[in-house]
């Protein structure tokens, strides 16, 4: 396929490189980052999109997506697919999809799970929203960039799935960190805590696969001084998106709201910026009940 790829940062660059390595003709553009090996550089986003069968975007937020879409969509060929892999608000995803469809293009929103490592290894999970036709056209690209893609329904539902998943993740990580901090103060060894919880009703991904306690469970960012696998800053972004969506549809999400508030304090007022989201554990260990 002829592919335009807009946004060649930490996630976009390895995704574009994997597509090029698989034999696709990839033309890329980024306002700062260079093109990875195998990707042809374009002088603008519009020129990267021109004549492409699929245009992939990996951008920081919904406002930037809307601005880039204003440039991209007029340059796209009729029938081409705009595949947005950014994590943005549901409203922006749906607005851009409508804009693309009105211009005679197809659209899909497909945020990812798996982080920088998954992008490099080609093992991402895609949560896709859009028409059946759009999903079918880009499905072969999901097979190159990831290990799984789930069609979640119409436009915007990929974003909905991503923020619901990450709201669970943020809430669960806080609960896991709180429990370890409590266990410490009760004199319960962390390894014994893990041995019990990881095989009983407290089982969770944050405990079993991504344990926030150093030296306990499988290797995780906790064993590397909380160097990010998934940064607390990004968790805060996703939690804010979840609360924006909850407000828009009048959904009651008190645990999501509480998790958002805690990550705001951690990232903006404490030392959480630039650390993994599991670095909540030392935060709770050092705190007393107020």
């Amino acid at each position: 396929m002829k592919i335009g790829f807009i946004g060649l940062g930490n996630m976009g660059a390895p995704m574009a490189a994997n597509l090029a390595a698989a034999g696709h003709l990839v033309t890329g553009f980024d306002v700062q980052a260079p093109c990875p090996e195998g990707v042809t550089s374009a002088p603008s986003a519009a020129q990267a999109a021109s004549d492409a069968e699929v245009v992939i975007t990996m951008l920081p937020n919904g406002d930037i997506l809307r601005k880039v879409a204003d440039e991209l969509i007029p340059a796209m060929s009729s029938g081409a697919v705009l595949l947005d892999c950014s994590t943005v608000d549901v409203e922006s995803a749906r607005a851009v999809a409508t804009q693309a469809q009105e211009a005679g293009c197809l659209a899909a929103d497909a945020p990812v799970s798996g982080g920088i490592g998954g992008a490099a290894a080609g093992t991402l999970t895609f949560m896709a929203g859009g028409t059946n036709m759009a999903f079918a056209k880009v499905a072969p690209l999901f097979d190159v960039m990831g290990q799984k893609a789930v069609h979640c329904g119409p436009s915007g539902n990929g974003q909905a799935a991503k923020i619901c998943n990450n709201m669970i993740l943020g809430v669960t990580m806080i609960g896991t960190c709180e429990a370890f901090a409590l266990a410490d103060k009760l004199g319960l060894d962390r390894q014994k805590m893990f041995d019990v919880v990881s095989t009983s009703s407290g089982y969770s991904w944050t405990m079993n696969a991504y344990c926030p306690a150093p030296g306990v469970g499988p290797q995780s960012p906790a064993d590397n001084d909380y160097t990010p696998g998934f940064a607390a800053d990004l968790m805060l972004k996703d939690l804010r998106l979840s609360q924006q969506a909850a407000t828009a549809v009048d959904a009651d999400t008190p645990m999501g709201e509480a998790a958002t508030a805690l990550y705001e304090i951690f990232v903006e007022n404490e030392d959480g910026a630039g650390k993994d989201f599991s670095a909540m554990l030392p935060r709770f260990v050092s705190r007393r009940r107020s």
Side-chain angles (χ1 to χ4, degrees):
M1 284 189 192
K2 292 182 68 175
I3 299 168
F5 206 113
I6 317 303
L8 299 168
N10 290 334
M11 293 293 292
M15 293 166 67
N18 286 339
L19 290 170
H24 296 288
L25 302 176
V26 186
T27 302
F29 175 78
D30 191 286
V31 293
Q32 291 183 319
C35 282
E37 184 176 352
V39 176
T40 301
S41 178
S44 69
Q47 287 178 268
S50 179
D51 295 326
E53 298 166 75
V54 177
V55 179
I56 302 174
T57 50
M58 179 58 90
L59 301 167
N61 56 56
D63 288 342
I64 293 175
L65 172 63
R66 288 177 188 249
K67 291 175 183 176
V68 171
D70 288 341
E71 181 182 354
L72 288 178
I73 292 172
M76 291 174 61
S77 303
S78 178
V81 183
L82 177 57
L83 173 60
D84 179 45
C85 294
S86 320
T87 297
V88 302
D89 59 287
V90 175
E91 290 180 358
S92 290
R94 289 178 174 160
V96 167
T98 299
Q99 184 180 353
Q101 290 158 5
E102 289 175 348
C105 299
L106 302 172
D109 54 290
V112 304
S113 178
I116 297 169
T123 57
L124 296 169
T125 294
F126 292 85
M127 297 145 268
T131 63
N132 291 334
M133 186 180 298
F135 183 80
K137 190 164 182 178
V138 297
L141 305 184
F142 292 144
D143 291 339
V144 174
M145 297 185 290
Q147 61 181 348
K148 185 174 184 179
V150 179
H151 188 195
C152 300
S155 294
N157 279 23
Q159 300 295 345
K162 173 69 181 284
I163 61 175
C164 288
N165 178 79
N166 280 17
M167 185 172 73
I168 294 171
L169 180 62
V171 169
T172 308
M173 179 57 79
I174 289 172
T176 302
C177 292
E178 286 182 351
F180 269 113
L182 176 60
D184 287 350
K185 291 175 182 179
L186 292 173
L188 174 61
D189 178 78
R190 287 181 171 182
Q191 183 62 52
K192 299 299 184 186
M193 158 93 166
F194 177 85
D195 291 344
V196 171
V197 174
S198 65
T199 56
S200 59
S201 57
Y203 175 105
S204 68
W205 187 85
T206 57
M207 174 64 76
N208 291 58
Y210 207 90
C211 185
V216 178
Q219 191 82 9
S220 74
D223 299 304
N224 191 27
D225 197 29
Y226 297 102
T227 299
F230 183 50
D233 315 59
L234 294 179
M235 174 53 75
L236 176 56
K237 171 192 170 182
D238 289 356
L239 286 168
R240 282 173 168 163
L241 289 174
S242 78
Q243 295 312 290
Q244 180 179 338
T247 298
V249 297
D250 196 23
D252 185 23
T253 58
M255 296 298 290
E257 185 177 356
T260 304
L262 282 168
Y263 273 102
E264 283 178 347
I265 293 169
F266 183 52
V267 170
E268 296 178 351
N269 300 328
E270 297 176 347
D271 63 348
K275 292 186 177 179
D276 191 77
F277 83 115
S278 61
M280 273 281 186
L281 175 55
R283 175 196 189 273
F284 282 116
V285 168
S286 66
R287 292 176 66 86
R288 297 175 178 270
R289 187 179 181 91
S290 56

